[in-house]
Amino acid sequence: MGCFHSKICRFSTPGYEDPTLLAAETAFTVSEVEALYELFKKISSSIIDDGLIHKEEFQLAIFKNQNRRDLFADRIFDLFDFKRNGVIGFGEFVRSLSVFHPNAPVADKIAFAFRLYDLRQTGYIEREELKEMVLALLNESDLILSDDIVEMIVDKTFDEADKKSDGKIDEEEWKEFVLMKPSLLKNMTLPYLKDITLAFPSFVMNSEVEDSE
Amino acid sequence: PFYNAFEFISSMSSGFDLSSLFEGK
C-alpha cells in the first residue's frame, strides 16, 4: 500500500528530519535540503528501500559498484554515520554534506579532513597511519612506487607538517599546514551543492513549504 | 610526482571525491 501524502510518508521514514530545522543548522536553504532529500531517497533505496543509507549503497553511489571497497569511502561513511549505528539517516546526510558546501566555514572543512586522516581516532595523524593510507591507495592503483620513495614522501610531509617533531600531526599543526596548502582541501568543497535545486527540480513537487527561502 | 603524502591521497582516492554522488543523478 502506497503513501497518499508525501509529507506523511517522509515523516514516517526512519532518520527523516524537518528541512526547516536542518536548514537552520546547516549551510543549506530549505529548498536545498528538500532537493537533497530527492538525492537521499535515490541513494537510500538503491539496494534496501528502508529510508537509510547502508554502506553498500554509499559505495554504489560513489563507485557505481557496491562491492568496491576503498579506505576513504569507508572513513567518510563512518564520519557521516555520527550516530554510529551503521547507517546514514537523512539528518546525518544533510549535516555531513553541509561541511562540503562552498559556503561552509573553512574551519569545519579542516576539522573534517583531520578526522578523516586520523584513521585510528587517536586525535593525531601518526606517521604510520599516513604511510598506511599511501600504501592502501597504491594497492588500489596501477602506480608502483618503491618503499624508499614512499618513505621519502611521508618523511617530507612530516618535515613540513609536524612542527613539534614528535612523529604525529595534531589538529593545530594540521590547520597551519593546510592553510599553507589550501589545495589539500580541494575535495572538501562540492560546487554541485550550490546547484542542488537545479539538479533535483522534482523537490518542488514534494515541497513542504510555500516559500522555501 | 607527488612530494606531499596528503596531496597524493586527495588526488588518488576516488573514495574521497564525493562529486560522484551527484553523477548520473
Side-chain angles (χ1 to χ4, degrees):
Chain A
M1 192 165 64
C3 288
F4 290 108
H5 195 295
S6 66
K7 188 170 179 176
I8 295 169
C9 274
R10 289 188 194 189
F11 277 97
S12 63
T13 302
Y16 185 75
E17 292 183 43
D18 185 342
T20 312
L21 296 178
L22 286 172
E25 278 181 44
T26 63
F28 298 111
T29 63
V30 178
S31 298
E32 288 168 341
V33 172
E34 293 188 319
L36 278 176
Y37 187 65
E38 301 299 309
L39 173 64
F40 179 83
K41 270 194 303 187
K42 188 176 177 218
I43 299 173
S44 66
S45 62
S46 60
I47 300 175
I48 307 165
D49 192 3
D50 60 356
L52 297 162
I53 298 178
H54 295 252
K55 190 170 272 188
E56 294 78 9
E57 290 173 323
F58 193 69
Q59 285 159 348
L60 181 61
I62 291 180
F63 303 121
K64 317 304 170 209
N65 176 347
Q66 71 187 79
N67 297 318
R68 177 156 170 209
R69 299 299 300 268
D70 176 288
L71 177 66
F72 291 93
D74 273 2
R75 257 325 267 147
I76 288 177
F77 182 90
D78 291 344
L79 291 176
F80 274 42
D81 173 23
F82 47 74
K83 290 182 185 162
R84 309 300 298 266
N85 59 352
V87 287
I88 300 170
F90 180 55
E92 290 170 304
F93 186 68
V94 174
R95 288 185 182 91
S96 301
L97 274 182
S98 176
V99 178
F100 292 80
H101 194 285
N103 297 345
V106 174
D108 293 354
K109 296 176 189 287
I110 292 172
F112 189 98
F114 182 82
R115 287 163 59 216
L116 178 77
Y117 292 129
D118 178 13
L119 282 187
R120 299 185 187 102
Q121 297 158 69
T122 56
Y124 303 98
I125 303 168
E126 292 168 42
R127 194 187 178 290
E128 279 314 300
E129 269 173 332
L130 188 58
K131 185 174 176 185
E132 188 182 323
M133 290 184 263
V134 172
L135 291 176
L137 282 176
L138 281 174
N139 266 336
E140 291 164 11
S141 76
D142 297 328
L143 194 61
I144 297 169
L145 292 181
S146 69
D147 195 58
D148 284 351
I149 299 281
V150 173
E151 284 285 329
M152 189 192 77
I153 292 171
V154 173
D155 278 346
K156 184 159 189 317
T157 306
F158 263 75
D159 283 348
E160 290 181 38
D162 178 21
K163 295 291 182 198
K164 297 180 188 125
S165 303
D166 56 2
K168 55 193 183 185
I169 299 166
D170 63 28
E171 203 158 353
E172 199 52 40
E173 289 168 326
W174 171 249
K175 188 177 165 187
E176 284 178 32
F177 186 60
V178 292
L179 288 177
M180 282 192 306
K181 295 181 183 296
S183 65
L184 295 182
L185 292 178
K186 186 182 55 166
N187 288 349
M188 290 302 308
T189 295
L190 295 168
Y192 296 86
L193 291 174
K194 274 208 144 180
D195 299 324
I196 194 77
T197 53
L198 300 177
F200 293 94
S202 57
F203 86 90
V204 175
M205 305 292 291
N206 300 321
S207 180
E208 291 169 11
V209 287
E210 295 274 323
D211 179 4
S212 49
E213 294 299 321
Chain B
F2 293 98
Y3 301 110
N4 181 298
F6 294 108
E7 187 186 327
F8 173 82
I9 291 166
S10 62
S11 300
M12 295 286 291
S13 173
S14 46
F16 190 6
D17 180 9
L18 294 186
S19 59
S20 50
L21 286 178
F22 306 92
E23 286 165 11
K25 60 216 176 279

